[in-house]
Amino acid sequence: GAVVSQHPSRVICKSGTSVKIECRSLDFQATTMFWYRQFPKQSLMLMATSNEGSKATYEQGVEKDKFLINHASLTLSTLTVTSAHPEDSSFYICSASLTGDGSPLHFGNGTRLTVT
Amino acid sequence: AQKITQTQPGMFVQEKEAVTLDCTYDTSDQSYGLFWYKQPSSGEMIFLIYQGSYDEQNATEGRYSLNFQKARKSANLVISASQLGDSAMYFCAMTSGYSTLTFGKGTMLLVSP
């Protein structure tokens, strides 16, 4: 079946540094990828929708300058957390749609970010 | 706007018994999709089952079935013959239009021996 690979699975960084998270669709082309954030024991919150070759669409309240999203190819989207702060510590997870018409999304395994 | 409500923060079930996880939804769209995902403690999201709003029959996938009651706007997940490995967080979600998922708050299921 369709597989979405997310890397790294865990990352610890110091305040003020930037962290890049990659999301790859391994066996299909994903014109649209989604980035979610999940706080402990809470639901996933959509951060942004990433479209290949165009600017990402951010949800209300998400700082686009802090969470940079690049979708340079049909199989790769990246999320860069810039100038990370401890409050950015969270679980970030990406997903990709096979056809973009509401068919089941496939998720990466997530990235646990800890900012010290 | 879409809304998903999961009213059970936690559920307990004994191994081999069936369990129903509740999910109600609200949308003004006529065409929509309903999903259930399982999230183990490792954090990954595992797709379980999908129901389209125009599907006449309830979706089934192995031990998972979706009790879809359109008039009541409910899409409950039924897990038959629970296993210890079923212990996880379960999220109900929906999409309408262009693939943006709205998640419920989740239900933590604990299966005991």
Side-chain angles (χ1 to χ4, degrees):
Chain A
V3 176
V4 175
S5 174
Q6 188 171 342
H7 177 81
S9 58
R10 291 179 181 272
V11 59
I12 300 173
C13 70
K14 293 185 177 180
S15 290
T17 61
S18 295
V19 174
K20 180 184 284 189
I21 303 169
E22 292 187 350
C23 181
R24 294 181 184 272
S25 56
L26 295 184
D27 57 357
F28 66 99
Q29 294 184 330
T31 56
T32 305
M33 289 186 175
F34 306 88
W35 288 95
Y36 296 86
R37 180 174 180 175
Q38 185 179 32
F39 293 99
K41 299 182 181 179
Q42 294 191 30
S43 186
L44 281 82
M45 301 301 296
L46 179 65
M47 297 175 66
T49 302
S50 167
N51 296 296
E52 187 267 336
S54 64
K55 290 183 179 180
T57 303
Y58 290 81
E59 295 300 301
Q60 193 173 12
V62 178
E63 299 176 61
K64 60 181 67 177
D65 293 332
K66 180 165 191 61
F67 298 100
L68 300 178
I69 291 173
N70 184 281
H71 195 158
S73 76
L74 287 171
T75 58
L76 174 64
S77 176
T78 61
L79 168 67
T80 301
V81 183
T82 62
S83 187
H85 290 119
E87 56 264 31
D88 297 327
S89 298
S90 190
F91 187 71
Y92 295 87
I93 193 165
C94 70
S95 70
S97 174
L98 271 169
T99 63
D101 64 354
S103 59
L105 301 187
H106 299 273
F107 287 85
N109 286 349
T111 297
R112 178 78 59 191
L113 171 64
T114 303
V115 184
T116 61
Chain B
Q2 306 172 156
K3 186 178 180 181
I4 292 282
T5 303
Q6 293 180 256
T7 57
Q8 307 155 315
M11 288 286 286
F12 295 89
V13 67
Q14 273 199 317
E15 202 176 4
K16 300 181 183 177
E17 291 186 350
V19 63
T20 298
L21 306 183
D22 294 341
C23 173
T24 58
Y25 61 91
D26 191 23
T27 180
S28 56
D29 292 315
Q30 296 300 311
S31 177
Y32 49 89
L34 296 157
F35 305 78
W36 276 94
Y37 288 89
K38 172 184 178 181
Q39 188 180 42
S41 57
S42 57
E44 62 190 293
M45 291 287 284
I46 303 168
F47 165 71
L48 296 178
I49 197 166
Y50 169 80
Q51 178 87 41
S53 58
Y54 292 118
D55 294 341
E56 294 185 354
Q57 291 192 336
N58 287 345
T60 60
E61 289 287 345
R63 294 186 299 111
Y64 304 108
S65 61
L66 199 152
N67 185 0
F68 181 45
Q69 298 189 34
K70 197 169 183 177
R72 295 185 177 183
K73 293 190 174 181
S74 73
N76 299 340
L77 176 70
V78 180
I79 305 175
S80 63
S82 298
Q83 301 172 355
L84 295 178
D86 294 334
S87 294
M89 194 76 164
Y90 288 80
F91 289 100
C92 179
M94 77 176 299
T95 184
S96 60
Y98 193 67
S99 292
T100 299
L101 278 177
T102 299
F103 286 88
K105 292 186 176 181
T107 297
M108 176 62 76
L109 175 66
L110 290 178
V111 181
S112 60

